[in-house]
Amino acid sequence: MMQSQIDFALAAPEILALVFGLAILLVDAVSTHPERKPTFWLTILSLVVLTVVSAVQWSSGVAGKTFNGLYVADGLSHLLKISSYIAVAVTLIYGRVYAQVRDMMRGGELYVLTLLALLGQMVMISAGNLISIYLGLELMSLALYALIALRRDNVVATEAAMKYFVLGALASGFLLYGMSMVYGATGHLDLAEVARVIAEGKAQKLALVFGVVFLVAGLAFKLGAVPFHMWVPDVYQGSPTAVTLILGAAPKLAAFAITLRLLVDGLHGLAGDWQPMLMILAVLSLAIGNLTAIAQSNFKRMLAYSTISHMGFVLLGLMSGSVAGKPDAAAAAYGASLFYMITYVLTTLGSFGIVLLLSRQGFECEQIDDLKGLNRRSPWHAAIVLLLMFSLAGIPPLAGFYAKLAVLQALVNAGHVTLAVIAVVFSLIGAFYYLRVVKTVYFDEPAADAAPVAATCGQRGVLSINGALILILGIVPGGLMAVCEQVIQNSLKF
């Protein structure tokens, strides 16, 4: 097989995503009946096809590097891509009615921009080079800026888009500057070559350490970790809720992927330098995220600060992975962090899905008080809220409990017992605001003008599956955890 054929075979999902995006744009342009445009179903079909293609590649053992090392196909990329496709599909199912009643679907912009953002995430997940990491990041970010400002007549959304754009450009500058310093210190852009030069001791150490500082700062912004978190609550609150979910779910998987590629795959030889940075970021995120969330009355803003605290747990798992002479312990730690991120995204989908279902024409379900008496209006949706909040709080036997437990075990195995205790203390503090939501749902009287919960069959079905998975992955987490550890061992070199 010719090299060009191999290149396109490995990168088939990205090529298909681009083709589907152009097809949806064309169909939207030629359609003469705005209310009958099939763009939604074409987008869902494209995501199903992408999922099948990546699953077939994964099951067939398709792996390798192509385009001169710019692109990597391995188990980690297949797992995270499939998770991203599912997250985007679920987001669009939850947000379809919300977007329709708010006139966000006058054209196919919502779907095309979402697929462009997804394409950027796919490039980030499969990046094996500093250049491809940055290209994927910018493609995703530019599409997200436009999505946040999609409601052009909404001043709050426009303000959120401007804030995210300005701060996102600053973070991209950090990343690009860090990459330039890594290139200057090692003479290579390919992550495998960077790792080799560092291992041989040929890199310029001072420039390399400064580069790592800027890289960690840029990655922390994309993950939403303290002190680079200032955009998260404002953008989550200001964006249309459907876009908030697009922003808060799948992009986290891509940001986690480039964190693994950069720090673990490329800069593992400098773990002694970036581990303390991640430790500080993690503790600050746990502290500020949980303590600030207690004071929030806006549900979306509370979930934003909750995100910050959960990113602290993810970073604790990453900083526990560099155990000298113990590759199995390192794989378990990175696997625990990957498991945590996947289950967090699953829980986020359900949490914002509830907000989308409860929002209606002329009413935004944004305040915690808007959930008052939900159990009387819809016991089934109230039960799902209970599962989601208990999982985020880390209460057994739900997925969030096992995810936290796996990270804590990794911390203890790495000798960071004090950090494990700190994480447990802040998790207990954080349980307060999750339980407050459950109390509001079950024990407060509903508002006099509270309308019945209206949802399509598709939304109800997907939300039910979402809640069931939270419970199932808490009771039998071994399968997904084993997959996470396996893809880490097979895909990363440390």
Side-chain angles (χ1 to χ4, degrees):
M1 185 180 293
M2 296 176 60
Q3 183 60 44
S4 60
Q5 293 175 315
I6 296 174
D7 291 344
F8 288 110
L10 287 176
E14 283 75 8
I15 296 169
L16 284 173
L18 183 59
V19 170
F20 279 124
L22 293 173
I24 290 168
L25 194 61
L26 179 62
V27 169
D28 180 76
V30 301
S31 178
T32 57
H33 299 283
E35 69 280 1
R36 298 179 185 175
K37 288 183 179 181
T39 47
F40 171 78
W41 294 110
L42 282 175
T43 306
I44 297 298
L45 175 62
S46 68
L47 293 169
V48 171
V49 172
L50 290 172
T51 303
V52 172
V53 170
S54 290
V56 169
Q57 285 186 328
W58 192 8
S59 63
S60 302
V62 173
K65 291 186 177 182
T66 189
F67 298 115
N68 296 318
L70 288 169
Y71 183 93
V72 178
D74 52 24
L76 178 63
S77 67
H78 295 318
L79 173 61
L80 287 177
K81 283 180 186 177
I82 291 172
S83 302
S84 298
Y85 305 149
I86 295 172
V88 172
V90 171
T91 298
L92 293 178
I93 291 170
Y94 286 157
R96 184 189 182 193
V97 175
Y98 179 95
Q100 284 177 336
V101 300
R102 283 158 182 79
D103 200 22
M104 294 170 60
M105 296 168 62
R106 286 168 288 189
E109 299 96 336
L110 176 66
Y111 300 119
V112 174
L113 288 171
T114 300
L115 283 181
L116 281 175
L118 177 62
L119 179 60
Q121 294 156 29
M122 294 161 68
V123 174
M124 291 166 66
I125 289 170
S126 284
N129 188 290
L130 296 177
I131 294 296
S132 50
I133 286 176
Y134 189 74
L135 288 175
L137 180 64
E138 286 304 295
L139 177 57
M140 179 191 75
S141 298
L142 290 172
L144 291 177
Y145 300 150
L147 278 169
I148 294 170
L150 198 57
R151 294 184 68 184
R152 295 183 289 273
D153 56 343
N154 189 299
V155 176
V156 178
T158 305
E159 180 185 349
M162 287 297 296
K163 186 172 294 186
Y164 188 44
F165 173 74
V166 172
L167 295 176
L170 181 63
S172 295
F174 281 155
L175 269 176
L176 195 58
Y177 190 62
M179 289 176 180
S180 68
M181 297 193 78
V182 170
Y183 173 70
T186 62
H188 293 281
L189 293 170
D190 185 89
L191 292 176
E193 290 300 314
V194 169
R196 180 186 61 79
V197 171
I198 293 173
E200 293 174 355
K202 297 179 180 179
Q204 300 178 30
K205 186 64 182 292
L206 183 60
L208 197 57
V209 171
F210 272 110
V212 170
V213 171
F214 283 101
L215 286 177
V216 170
L219 293 171
F221 177 91
K222 295 304 176 183
L223 289 170
V226 176
F228 306 98
H229 68 293
M230 66 288 293
W231 64 275
V232 179
D234 292 338
V235 174
Y236 273 42
Q237 181 182 356
S239 303
T241 307
V243 177
T244 302
L245 188 48
I246 293 172
L247 175 69
K252 287 289 187 288
L253 296 171
F256 181 75
I258 62 171
T259 303
L260 285 177
R261 301 285 189 198
L262 280 170
L263 299 184
V264 178
D265 224 8
L267 301 171
H268 192 77
L270 295 174
D273 295 303
W274 54 257
Q275 265 189 322
M277 301 181 207
L278 295 190
M279 179 185 69
I280 295 170
L281 294 173
V283 173
L284 288 175
S285 298
L286 286 169
I288 294 178
N290 282 311
L291 292 175
T292 312
I294 293 174
Q296 306 305 313
S297 59
N298 184 286
F299 191 39
K300 288 170 65 176
R301 202 171 181 87
M302 189 207 83
L303 290 174
Y305 281 107
S306 166
T307 294
I308 295 167
S309 69
H310 286 289
M311 290 306 104
F313 259 99
V314 171
L315 293 176
L316 285 177
L318 288 174
M319 63 145 297
S320 305
S322 301
V323 183
K326 296 182 179 180
D328 290 339
Y334 296 136
S337 193
L338 176 57
F339 180 89
Y340 196 106
M341 182 61 83
I342 291 174
T343 54
Y344 164 75
V345 169
L346 183 64
T347 312
T348 296
L349 288 169
S351 301
F352 281 102
I354 287 290
V355 176
L356 287 166
L357 293 191
L358 294 180
S359 299
R360 56 187 186 272
Q361 181 70 47
F363 173 75
E364 295 284 345
C365 177
E366 290 195 350
Q367 301 298 318
I368 295 176
D369 286 346
D370 293 332
L371 299 173
K372 282 183 176 181
L374 179 60
N375 184 49
R376 299 188 184 183
R377 298 161 56 195
S378 176
W380 180 246
H381 288 96
I384 293 175
V385 172
L386 183 142
L387 287 175
L388 294 168
M389 293 301 107
F390 278 12
S391 179
L392 288 170
I395 296 175
L398 302 170
F401 166 76
Y402 188 82
K404 283 182 167 62
L405 179 62
V407 170
L408 292 173
Q409 287 176 333
L411 279 170
V412 173
N413 291 337
H416 303 298
V417 179
T418 303
L419 282 177
V421 173
I422 292 172
V424 170
V425 170
F426 281 118
S427 290
L428 292 174
I429 293 173
F432 169 79
Y433 55 86
Y434 296 122
L435 295 178
R436 182 180 63 184
V437 174
V438 175
K439 174 258 182 188
T440 302
V441 167
Y442 277 90
F443 299 105
D444 286 4
E445 291 292 329
D449 59 345
V453 178
T456 65
C457 293
Q459 290 173 326
R460 290 179 185 272
V462 172
L463 187 61
S464 300
I465 295 171
N466 201 158
L469 283 174
I470 295 295
L471 181 59
I472 292 169
L473 287 176
I475 297 173
V476 283
L480 180 57
M481 178 59 79
V483 170
C484 291
E485 292 186 13
Q486 182 182 9
V487 298
I488 290 291
Q489 287 179 323
N490 296 339
S491 304
L492 302 180
K493 297 177 178 60
F494 47 85

